[in-house]
Amino acid sequence: MRQRSFISLAAALAFLLIGSVAVYAYDSAQDDRIAKGVKAGGIGIGDMKTVDAREKLRHRLTERLSRPIYATYHGEKFRLTAAEAKLRIDIDGMVDEALEESRGGNAVTRTVRAIVGGKVDADVPVQASYSKDAVDRLVKRVASGLNRPAQDASLDFSTGTLKSVKAKKGREVREDPLRSDVQHALEQPDGDRNVGVSVESTMPKITTRNLVKKYPTVVAIDRTTHTLTLMKRLHVVKTYPIAVGMAGLETPAGTYPVVDKQINPVWHVPNSDWAGDLAGRVIPPGPDNPIKSRWIGITGGAGIHGTVETGSLGTNASHGCIRMAIPDVIDLFDRVPYGSTIFIH
């Protein structure tokens, strides 16, 4: 009886020993085989030997990741090639990690999983390296190409015609999100390799409303066309014919405020050669005073006044002042308050 029990025990131990050896032998034979279900970069490499998995990943990932990346904004594109990015993929490292995922557990659990057709649910991420300097250069190139400063509202009198330039919003590339998106695209095998560029609006410091407030009344004088234009809230109200300074006594170009206003003004004759015997005298209102009806004075002694010499209008005839017909200067006088801006071109 004892002999029979011993034989049974020995047989059981022998069976276990043989089974263990078989399990160990089978598991060892799987040392370079990746478990079913394992992926790398979304590419299935399960139930493949490591050498075959490397070849498949090298073909599939190199083909996908070698395509250029484009940063796009409303049809504009900025390209970054794999060569420029110095993109490198660690295929060996990915396969090693996939194999490590496959070898989880022990020999028995791995063998049982293989026998019953079990799978390992694992997807090894792409192990990519690239030049961050190259990414930064792309971001700076995009910003340089797309950034647009906000445009302040302004008045343009460079051509002799006063025009208001409207304020415009600017735009600025959001560099940090773009940098992050490009880096993410470099590491991902899927997708169309287009990265959208996001921008934010920048506001002008001077708006059209600010400009209207700064220049409620403007007088624009064009010496070439001999016209004076009155503007209210940057809109043309009326245009008048004028005479301006003759050669050698030109009406001074520039921007001036209205600093003086007089009705039937006294004429303080300047001490100039052209004044002759009148130089330095004070001429009261009357027939001997050429400054008729109204005086709108600007910095430097020049100003706008009425004249009876209406034949001079449309010419360079004065000693530096701006002449107007008397009805016109009376009309203008009441429309132009102190501090109004006068542009002379």
Side-chain angles (χ1 to χ4, degrees):
M1 191 69 176
R2 288 182 180 178
Q3 185 177 3
R4 187 179 297 174
S5 298
F6 175 78
I7 293 172
S8 298
L9 177 60
L13 291 173
F15 177 79
L16 290 174
L17 180 60
I18 293 171
S20 298
V21 171
V23 167
Y24 178 78
Y26 177 84
D27 187 59
S28 297
Q30 307 302 309
D31 276 350
D32 66 342
R33 182 174 291 276
I34 297 169
K36 291 181 179 180
V38 175
K39 297 179 181 178
I43 299 169
I45 55 174
D47 201 25
M48 296 180 70
K49 288 190 174 184
T50 54
V51 64
D52 296 327
R54 289 190 185 93
E55 186 61 28
K56 182 176 182 179
L57 290 178
R58 186 170 291 109
H59 174 72
R60 297 282 295 277
L61 289 178
T62 300
E63 179 184 2
R64 295 185 189 182
L65 292 174
S66 62
R67 290 177 296 160
I69 287 175
Y70 291 94
T72 63
Y73 180 81
H74 292 285
E76 294 190 62
K77 292 187 175 183
F78 302 83
R79 188 175 70 167
L80 177 65
T81 66
E84 291 168 336
K86 298 180 180 178
L87 181 62
R88 298 290 183 272
I89 307 168
D90 185 4
I91 300 293
D92 290 339
M94 294 174 65
V95 172
D96 289 345
E97 187 174 340
L99 191 60
E100 186 177 342
E101 292 283 353
S102 302
R103 303 298 292 171
N106 55 50
V108 175
T109 58
R110 289 192 294 268
T111 300
V112 172
R113 182 181 66 217
I115 293 172
V116 301
K119 296 181 179 181
V120 174
D121 185 14
D123 191 350
V124 174
V126 175
Q127 296 179 12
S129 63
Y130 48 85
S131 168
K132 291 186 177 180
D133 288 341
V135 175
D136 286 339
R137 286 193 293 271
L138 172 67
V139 171
K140 295 301 181 185
R141 186 152 48 92
V142 173
S144 177
L146 295 181
N147 283 356
R148 184 181 65 198
Q151 176 178 285
D152 288 338
S154 62
L155 293 179
D156 180 14
F157 197 41
S158 59
T159 62
T161 301
L162 190 63
K163 296 180 180 179
S164 59
V165 179
K166 292 184 178 181
K168 292 182 180 179
K169 293 181 181 180
R171 70 182 178 213
E172 191 170 289
V173 171
R174 299 178 65 229
E175 294 188 13
D176 287 343
L178 175 59
R179 184 178 294 104
S180 177
D181 290 346
V182 170
Q183 291 174 341
H184 181 72
L186 284 169
E187 299 168 354
Q188 298 301 312
D190 295 326
D192 61 3
R193 312 296 277 170
N194 288 321
V195 175
V197 179
S198 62
V199 301
E200 57 188 5
S201 296
T202 57
M203 304 303 294
K205 295 180 180 178
I206 302 174
T207 65
T208 303
R209 181 177 295 180
N210 297 144
L211 204 64
V212 168
K213 187 175 181 179
K214 183 178 181 180
Y215 298 107
T217 300
V218 172
V219 173
I221 295 170
D222 187 345
R223 297 176 300 172
T224 302
T225 60
H226 303 95
T227 55
L228 182 154
T229 302
L230 172 67
M231 300 180 74
K232 293 284 188 178
R233 299 182 62 81
L234 305 183
H235 293 288
V236 174
V237 174
K238 197 169 183 179
T239 300
Y240 308 86
I242 59 172
V244 295
M246 65 182 69
L249 295 170
E250 289 86 356
T251 301
T255 304
Y256 308 95
V258 172
V259 295
D260 187 23
K261 294 181 66 178
Q262 295 181 38
I263 297 175
N264 297 321
V266 171
W267 181 32
H268 296 269
V269 185
N271 286 307
S272 300
D273 292 340
W274 63 263
D277 295 339
L278 295 177
R281 292 180 55 186
V282 177
I283 309 299
D288 296 330
N289 189 337
I291 301 177
K292 300 299 183 183
S293 186
R294 300 290 187 273
W295 169 259
I296 302 173
I298 63 177
T299 303
I304 304 168
H305 63 81
T307 182
V308 294
E309 298 179 26
T310 54
S312 69
L313 300 180
T315 69
N316 299 351
S318 77
H319 296 110
C321 288
I322 297 99
R323 295 179 182 175
M324 300 182 71
I326 291 175
D328 286 348
V329 78
I330 292 174
D331 179 65
L332 180 68
F333 186 89
D334 293 333
R335 297 172 184 256
V336 180
Y338 277 91
S340 299
T341 301
I342 296 181
F343 292 94
I344 302 177
H345 181 269

